[in-house]
């Protein structure tokens, strides 16, 4: 069973996999950590072990280092990386039902967890676009809203090196660097998400980096790129990028993955304001297109995907108290309502949840302006004292215009809880077990 974990940078993939593996490794001794994973609740888990990395080219997820970071004093968040990684586990369990038990049967599940940057999914629409179409759409976005001031240096450079000028590899490289700088500024400065191509900020292992040295350009309407021009050089690289990098990735994803969880940091986008939230939605729609079911499923049409369960999870739900976590789940469900319906028709399952891979807070109450409000209480990283944190109200549907007046307060980075030892008693979480039961419950039955 191959379970893929994805999400944009910072969405919580590393924390999720660390918690998932550590809690599973602890699940036989500490079934109470995963009460909603039926196989543990029914005490059917017999042994779970981490397998040595295989001989395949994919780098191993640094499980031991990640768990060790949580066991230091003070505990640290495991370092995230930006490439494809995997972790292999073997789960031995008693099958459910009378038959399985009566036969004294023992079943074994080999679980391969694959972790890849969600940014790579943003390249799916490129496969259906020409360089001209992609350039037009990307430039249109770059000239408006929060992007416009950040795009200035890059656009000025393109004005000095227009599409019809001689195709100079050095100038193309410079244009690419400026464009990538623009994407990075959109991400860090404005918390924007729809940043294409996905490999520009998260390249992963690419044998020939010159494949990436292109960027969109303003092109004259109707005209073909003249041979030897900047436009022709950029177009050739764009096409090579699609063929050598994007296509093989989706082929692999479709062939190798059975189940998928997509992590989304909805709270951060809400926090960053209207532009960031709207942009995360656009990026999310693009990612959704990869996991659509039914007749419009691109992954199926192009690559014959076999993924049959997809879970969309709003992460870091321990930043908000219990009632708001329900809101967060409702908001996530709202964002995936259409694909959920399509999936049913395709005998696949899509669901939404809110979870905290590593729970750093507890719920409490406070009095603000004479009113009792729910808060979360946790220790901000590097601080001596716990704070009572009131995050604001999470809307259950994508928020209307008026909502954005009251920005959320900036979320603190909470210190993770310290775990006793690498093979100890797991790590606190919210809904990790429910997520696992949705993703794997049937194969552990
Ligand atoms: P990745 O880039 O998708 O691998 O993201 P990480 O897993 O590295 O998460 C980025 C940061 O988000 C972490 O360093 C934590 O500060 C925070 N984070 C991730 N998961 C949680 C969680 O469950 N609860 C809280 N409070 N913070 C989290």
């Amino acid at each position: 069973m191959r379970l893929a974990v994805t999400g944009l940078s910072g969405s919580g993939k590393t924390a999720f996999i660390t918690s998932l593996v550590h809690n599973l490794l602890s699940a036989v001794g500490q079934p109470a950590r995963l009460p909603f994973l039926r196989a543990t609740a029914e005490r059917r888990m017999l042994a779970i072990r981490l397998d040595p990395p295989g001989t395949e080219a994919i780098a191993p997820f640094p499980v031991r280092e990640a768990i060790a970071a949580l066991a230091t004093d003070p505990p640290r968040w495991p370092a995230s990386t930006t490439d494809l990684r995997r972790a292999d586990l073997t789960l031995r369990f008693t099958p459910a039902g009378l038959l399985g038990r009566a036969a004294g049967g023992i079943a074994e599940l080999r679980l391969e967890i694959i972790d890849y940057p969600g940014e790579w999914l943003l390249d799916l629409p490129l496969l259906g676009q020409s360089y001209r179409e992609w350039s037009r759409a990307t430039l249109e976005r770059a000239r408006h809203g929060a992007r416009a001031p950040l795009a200035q240096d890059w656009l000025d450079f393109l004005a000095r090196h227009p599409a019809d000028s001689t195709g100079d590899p050095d100038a193309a490289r410079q244009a690419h660097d400026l464009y990538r700088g623009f994407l990075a500024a959109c991400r860090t400065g404005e918390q924007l998400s729809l940043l294409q191509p996905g490999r520009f900020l998260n390249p992963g292992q690419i044998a020939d980096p010159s494949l990436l040295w292109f960027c969109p350009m303003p092109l004259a309407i109707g005209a073909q790129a003249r041979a030897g021009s900047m436009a022709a050089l950029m177009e050739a690289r764009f096409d090579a990028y699609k063929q050598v990098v994007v296509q093989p990735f989706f082929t692999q994803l479709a062939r190798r993955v059975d189940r998928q969880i997509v992590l989304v940091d909805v709270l951060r986008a809400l926090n960053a304001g209207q532009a960031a939230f709207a942009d995360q939605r656009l990026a999310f729609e693009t990612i959704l297109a990869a996991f659509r079911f039914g007749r419009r499923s691109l992954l199926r049409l192009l690559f014959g995907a076999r993924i049959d369960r997809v879970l969309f999870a709003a992460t870091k739900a321990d930043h908000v108290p219990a009632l708001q976590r329900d809101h967060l789940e409702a908001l996530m469900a709202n964002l995936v309502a259409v694909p959920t319906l399509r999936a049913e028709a395709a005998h696949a399952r899509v669901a939404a949840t809110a979870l905290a891979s590593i729970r750093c807070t507890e719920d409490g109450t406070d009095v603000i302006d004479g009113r009792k409000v729910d808060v979360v209480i946790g220790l901000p990283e590097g601080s001596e004292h716990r704070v009572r944190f009131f995050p604001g109200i999470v809307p259950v549907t994508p928020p209307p215009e008026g909502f954005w007046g009251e920005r959320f307060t900036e979320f603190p980075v909470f210190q993770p809880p310290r775990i006793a030892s690498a093979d100890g008693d797991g790590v606190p979480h919210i809904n990790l077990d429910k997520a696992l039961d949705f993703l794997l419950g049937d194969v552990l039955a």
Side-chain angles (χ1 to χ4, degrees), residues 8-15 77 80 316 318-319 356-358 360 413:
L8 297 177
S9 153
S11 59
K13 298 179 291 295
T14 307
W77 286 99
S80 20
K316 311 180 195 178
D318 59 330
H319 279 116
S357 306
I358 299 180
C360 311
V413 174

Side-chain angles (χ1 to χ4, degrees), residues 364-375 387-390:
T365 54
D366 212 345
V367 177
I368 297 180
D369 296 335
R371 278 186 22 219
K372 208 165 117 186
V373 292
D374 293 333
V375 297
V387 295
R388 305 171 81 76
F389 179 65
F390 174 67

Side-chain angles (χ1 to χ4, degrees), residues 47-208:
I48 300 180
R49 65 159 200 268
L50 185 67
D51 295 327
T55 49
E56 268 182 284
I58 305 178
F61 183 94
V63 170
R64 295 289 173 206
E65 289 86 334
I67 295 173
L70 296 174
T72 53
D73 187 16
R76 285 180 290 107
W77 286 99
S80 20
T81 68
T82 54
D83 203 352
L84 187 65
R85 300 180 296 183
R86 67 184 267 190
D88 292 7
L89 294 172
T90 300
L91 287 71
R92 298 182 75 213
F93 62 97
T94 314
L98 277 179
L99 229 61
R101 280 167 207 235
I106 294 177
E108 210 169 71
L109 173 70
R110 299 232 333 120
L111 178 64
E112 181 180 316
I113 302 166
I114 298 176
D115 169 23
Y116 66 90
E119 280 79 0
W120 297 359
L121 295 171
L122 297 176
D123 285 345
L124 186 62
L126 267 54
L127 294 176
Q129 284 175 321
S130 65
Y131 176 63
R132 174 174 298 274
E133 289 163 339
W134 176 69
S135 283
R136 194 183 311 123
T138 312
L139 280 159
E140 174 70 18
R141 262 200 308 277
R143 289 187 173 124
H144 292 98
R147 285 176 168 80
L150 304 175
Q152 213 47 58
D153 289 351
W154 163 60
L155 291 176
D156 287 348
F157 186 87
L158 289 186
R160 294 197 301 277
H161 298 84
D164 203 38
S165 60
T166 305
D168 168 15
D170 286 340
R173 175 79 201 271
Q174 262 175 291
H176 163 79
D177 287 345
L178 286 167
Y179 177 67
R180 200 163 44 83
F182 155 67
L183 293 182
C186 290
R187 174 142 102 187
T188 46
E190 298 290 334
Q191 311 268 327
L192 300 179
S193 310
L194 186 58
L195 305 171
Q196 290 165 318
R199 301 267 177 165
F200 279 22
L201 295 181
N202 293 71
Q205 302 284 336
I206 291 184
D208 174 7

Side-chain angles (χ1 to χ4, degrees), residues 255-417:
R255 293 226 184 100
R256 301 193 38 155
V257 173
D258 308 295
R259 306 272 156 100
Q260 174 74 55
I261 177 164
V262 180
L263 306 177
V264 191
D265 193 348
V266 179
L267 289 173
R268 181 173 60 182
L270 278 176
N271 198 12
Q274 186 165 14
F277 188 79
D279 206 66
Q280 189 190 59
R281 254 193 110 177
L282 284 178
F284 186 62
E285 296 286 327
T286 308
I287 289 176
L288 270 184
F291 301 116
R292 196 167 268 159
F293 292 96
R295 272 181 295 134
R296 291 174 61 202
S297 161
L298 269 183
L299 207 57
R300 246 150 246 272
L301 283 175
L302 298 176
F303 304 99
R306 54 187 212 182
I307 298 172
D308 63 351
R309 279 187 196 198
V310 186
L311 181 62
F312 294 95
T315 50
K316 311 180 195 178
D318 59 330
H319 279 116
V320 294
L323 181 62
Q324 302 304 319
R325 292 198 284 275
D326 293 344
H327 282 200
L328 188 60
E329 180 167 324
L331 178 59
M332 191 75 240
N334 198 293
L335 295 174
V336 298
V338 174
T340 312
L341 293 176
R342 287 214 194 94
E344 275 165 25
H347 304 290
R349 291 180 65 191
V350 172
T353 188
L355 59 81
S357 306
I358 299 180
R359 182 178 195 166
C360 311
T361 65
E362 49 191 77
D363 290 358
T365 54
D366 212 345
V367 177
I368 297 180
D369 296 335
R371 278 186 22 219
K372 208 165 117 186
V373 292
D374 293 333
V375 297
V376 292
I377 306 165
L379 180 67
E381 226 170 25
S383 164
E384 303 259 294
H385 305 286
R386 303 211 309 164
V387 295
R388 305 171 81 76
F389 179 65
F390 174 67
I393 305 292
V394 178
V396 292
T397 55
E401 289 285 323
F403 171 84
W404 299 103
E406 342 159 6
R407 287 269 294 256
F408 275 45
T409 340
E410 196 70 39
F411 289 118
V413 174
F414 287 114
Q415 180 177 299

